[in-house]
Amino acid sequence: MTAGVSHAFVFEVWKVRSGRISSALIFGFAALSALAYSDSYFSSLGNPALEAFTLPGAWRAIITRMGGIGRGVSLGLAITWACQDFDLGVLRQQVASGVSRSSIVTAKILLVPVVGVVVLLAQILPGAGFAMTATLQAGAPIRIPWADVVAMGLYLMELTGFATLGFLAGIFMRRSAGGLVLGFGYAYLGEPILSLLLQRGGWSGVADMLPARVLGGLVRGFYQEGSFSQDAGGAALRASASEPLVGLLVLVTGLGVGAWFLHGADY
Amino acid sequence: MGLLGPNGAGKTTTLGMILGVVRPTRGWIEYNCPRLPGVRYSGTLEYPGFMPAATVESTLHAWARLKRVEADEADRLIRRMGLVPHVKKRFSGLSVGLKQRVAVACALIGSPPVLVLDEPGMGLDPAGIQDLRELLSELAHAGHGIIVSSHQLDEIDRICTDIVVVKDGVVVLAGSTEEIRRRGSGGLRVEVEDPVRATGLLDEIPEVTSIRREGDVLIVTGRIGTRDVVRHLARHDIYVDGIASMAASIEEIFVRATRDAQNGGIV
């Protein structure tokens, strides 16, 4: 990373931190996750009939339980972050200040995975906190099976993928309201309809390649392959390698399109 | 250099292209300043775009980091722009004039060889305008090239050595302020006892292009000096009570240039 890009990246992080909506979204999601996992923790304490919220068994719940909301938060966060540049004219000001477009665009592209990481942490940390407490109370060792690490990596890819969709919607629409309508409308309405139509028309292969569908099913598909808290994860990993590859392709293509579009746009 | 033009003439678009914010549809921009590494042009366009929740201090420090200069320079500009009492205020809480000062301070970070300012005096109080004028003079004397657009023609007149007037994206007048003022001279104001006879006599001079009578006063235009008029009339026993060159103001020249352009002529 060149010095110009690293400075532009630090500036992007500063912008996200300075944005009230972004902070509210992240802290709101972390609070919601804490609430959900605290419910799992306290319910299992008071009810012996329920499975204890202890590690390593709880990892799956920690990763998947808030997945739907997490993807939405990632999408929304990327949209608000991408649009605030246009809403507030900060991007314009940056370029007018003599900072190169290439540095700015590269920094923005690098920040998309960071959005995924932040959302992942906002979800995982509260859940892991409660699960670790329950595990320690039960006197069991805290460990994370390899398969759950992979699942977490796939979930990060899901979140980054949805952040990429949000980033694209944001830079195309340039206004938060428009970006939110396009981003959420596409991911949760447009694409499912399109997918149905493609399947009815005998284009199931194409429907399977639609970005939100591919990205939204990585963790679900991975866990459905078998019991990954056991040692049999390796074989199933190989069996389900194609979906992450397609997901990665969608993600890289999305970021490439975003970079190309942003680099050539007027601010 | 002052860039003038009526609303919609293309001033902001031109400055935006110089700053790299707007992509030219065709053509290119040449500049005659050393190809220094880093910032060449820096400036601000119309409405300054900054993070509303960030303080003045953090904004300028973040911008200094972005432009890879020490925070000391940001602090120096905070003092120079009279922003010390406002450093802890959020950008959203500043008056229009103070926002403009922050924008100019940001543009000055990194000491760019060419400074481009779009309506820098917008929203500034008289003291602020005076400060800005002094600052721009200092910068010009320090060797900075400055391109400034403004609707405050008297300010342009005071601070600019060159002027370009655009209308509908076309340059209709360009040159040094001195030369333009000479070209756009409003003529001579001649007070005589017998204006009727004086008109006839002056009309004989080939260099005189027009004579307008306002009571006992004649407004004479053409490539003729005060001495020529006095001599010519004295030769015919007409004594001049008063004579003065009517220097055209930049405002008059601007109005004339844009009106002529509307009628199909380019000055």
Side-chain angles (χ1 to χ4, degrees), chain A residues 76-95:
Chain A
L77 189 60
I79 292 169
T80 52
W81 156 67
C83 288
Q84 75 176 5
D85 269 339
F86 295 102
D87 282 337
L88 303 171
V90 186
L91 188 59
R92 183 185 173 102
Q93 192 78 42
Q94 271 179 269
V95 177

Side-chain angles (χ1 to χ4, degrees), chain B residues 59-78:
Chain B
T59 297
L60 284 161
H61 283 179
W63 233 266
R65 278 196 302 275
L66 178 68
K67 292 169 96 172
R68 288 185 268 169
V69 297
E70 295 295 319
D72 293 354
E73 187 172 337
D75 292 331
R76 186 180 59 76
L77 285 164
I78 285 172

Side-chain angles (χ1 to χ4, degrees), chain B residues 88-134:
Chain B
K88 298 296 175 197
K89 287 182 187 167
R90 291 178 191 277
F91 185 76
S92 57
L94 300 178
S95 65
V96 177
L98 286 173
K99 284 179 180 172
Q100 201 65 34
R101 285 190 200 198
V102 173
V104 173
C106 273
L108 286 171
I109 291 174
S111 201
V114 180
L115 189 67
V116 179
L117 302 171
D118 190 14
E119 298 284 349
M122 190 172 62
L124 291 182
D125 54 24
I129 288 176
Q130 195 175 342
D131 282 351
L132 181 71
R133 194 190 306 143
E134 285 171 10

